[in-house]
Amino acid sequence: MKTKANRSYIYRKIRDYTVSSDDIIKTTANLSVTDGLFWSIYSSLTTPFVIPLSIFLLGQSAPVGYITGFPVLVVPLAQYLSRYFSRKVKDLKKLTVYTTLLDRLLWLPVVFLVFVHGLLLTYLLLIILLSARTFFASFSGTTWTLWVPGVIPARKRSSYFAFRNFVMKVFSLVGYALALGIFLGITDEEIAFIVVFLSGALIFSSVSLFIMTRISPYSIPDSERTTTRKRWTRTFSYFVIFSLVWNLGYSMVMPYFQLYLVSPQYLNQSESFYTIVYVVIAVSFIASQIFWGKLANKLGNFRVILINSFIIILSALLIPLIHSPSLIFIPSILYGVGQSGLTLSMFNEMLGRSESSRINSISMYNLVQSISVGLGPIFANFLIEIFDVDIHLIFEVSIGFMFSSILYFVISDLRIKKNR
């Protein structure tokens, strides 16, 4: 009897947690956090290993900048269509779920490129498949931002996203642990990559998608859906320009940091060590997330963005100076801490500045951010191939972009305050 009562109690708790109730905000937040939990495991088993997989497929001369950057250039089309369909459809949930499914299924042909012969064919197929993946990910990212955060009141977003990001990063460690176990346990590198990607794309992605389908539908108000006039505020325009320049530099760091870790020309570390570095970044992110959420509530997102921008710049300064694998953990910790605060505060700052026209503003922000994230690695790869520059110069150029964006952000904010 007691066991039956316990099962009944657990069932009621699960039902209250996952089934829409009168408190739609609470239910949406609960399900979104749980969806994000499984998404983070899926994501940490796939996205971070694109560069190592590319080097495995194409050799150490793999053009990692192009592989990272070219797929992002499909984002303008994705953003145009997501903005168009967001106005046309009543149910953002259904639209988001379908495009998310297509995004995640495309990991399957990506990993099976290990069976394709011919470097040029493999390279072209890799770019095409990653581009298609990026298209659907960008599309669903915008519709999700209009859907789920639209239910959460503005006054609760900072604490909600701080908690959600915290949970997601904690469970990303599960993905990294699984990947580490697979790479250590399977000596055949080809099979290890297949198992890692399939575990993420088939198992954890499916659970995440199922939970997403339990979230209540949400429709954008008719007044917002029928508005075609661009009503961006000056403060939002300044923020978009800042994010454009910042991401040009920021996006140059990560692919070449990954290359710096695994390439025989530099630290020449295994996939296992590479995964451990990502675990350190994730732990640093987790340890600082709640702190940054509280600090943003106290100081504002603007100041937290500035603080974390300088932390990431310091990390980028240190990476090319390190020649011992054990010391690479110092910039890795700084990067994780900086990424933690920057991800949270930039997203919330964008939402705060986009209230006058959410569809246009969010779509424009995603568009500009994605273009800059794509162009950064492409520009870096172009410098290396055409001018034969050293990878150290890439980090210096990226720091120049990031520092310039901070100066612009501070000056534009002072201008806004002066005109008030």
Side-chain angles (χ1 to χ4, degrees), residues 161-319:
F161 279 109
F163 178 69
R164 186 175 188 269
N165 290 347
F166 174 79
V167 171
M168 288 170 65
K169 275 297 177 179
V170 168
F171 279 87
S172 70
L173 295 176
V174 176
Y176 292 134
L178 287 170
L180 182 60
I182 291 167
F183 282 120
L184 289 174
I186 301 176
T187 55
D188 188 316
E189 202 173 7
E190 180 179 288
I191 296 175
F193 273 116
I194 293 173
V195 174
V196 165
F197 276 85
L198 289 186
S199 298
L202 291 180
I203 301 173
F204 295 102
S205 174
S206 299
V207 177
S208 166
L209 200 61
F210 171 76
I211 295 170
M212 185 188 290
T213 63
R214 310 301 298 172
I215 301 175
S216 298
Y218 173 76
S219 296
I220 297 173
D222 289 339
S223 58
E224 175 71 16
R225 195 168 60 244
T226 56
T227 299
T228 57
R229 185 165 55 94
K230 296 178 177 64
R231 294 184 291 132
W232 304 317
T233 62
R234 182 174 295 180
T235 57
F236 182 79
S237 299
Y238 287 153
F239 182 71
V240 167
I241 295 171
F242 157 71
S243 67
L244 169 66
V245 182
W246 169 265
N247 281 304
L248 277 171
Y250 181 70
S251 62
M252 293 170 68
V253 174
M254 209 54 193
Y256 286 94
F257 172 57
Q258 294 169 331
L259 180 68
Y260 199 79
L261 280 170
V262 299
S263 174
Q265 293 178 309
Y266 303 105
L267 295 184
N268 193 26
Q269 295 302 298
S270 67
E271 285 83 9
S272 300
F273 183 87
Y274 174 93
T275 307
I276 291 171
V277 171
Y278 264 85
V279 169
V280 170
I281 292 174
V283 170
S284 304
F285 188 108
I286 293 162
S288 56
Q289 180 70 177
I290 300 300
F291 167 77
W292 291 126
K294 290 180 178 178
L295 195 66
N297 286 333
K298 185 180 293 185
L299 300 181
N301 291 309
F302 176 83
R303 290 184 176 86
V304 174
I305 288 172
L306 294 183
I307 294 169
N308 286 282
S309 296
F310 283 112
I311 292 174
I312 287 177
I313 286 175
L314 179 59
S315 173
L317 274 170
L318 291 175
I319 290 169

Side-chain angles (χ1 to χ4, degrees), residues 7-35:
R7 283 202 300 265
S8 179
Y9 173 80
I10 294 171
Y11 172 76
R12 287 199 308 272
K13 285 294 181 183
I14 294 174
R15 184 191 60 194
D16 293 342
Y17 187 85
T18 59
V19 179
S20 297
S21 62
D22 293 335
D23 191 348
I24 295 176
I25 296 172
K26 180 180 178 181
T27 303
T28 299
N30 287 344
L31 290 169
S32 175
V33 169
T34 312
D35 160 35

Side-chain angles (χ1 to χ4, degrees), residues 41-52:
I41 301 174
Y42 138 74
S43 181
S44 59
L45 282 165
T46 49
T47 306
F49 296 100
V50 167
I51 298 302

Side-chain angles (χ1 to χ4, degrees), residues 20 51 57 73 104 119 143 145 174 283 331 360 405 418:
S20 297
I51 298 302
L57 293 172
L73 298 183
R104 299 180 186 181
L119 290 181
T143 56
T145 305
V174 176
V283 170
N360 281 328
S405 70
K418 184 179 179 181

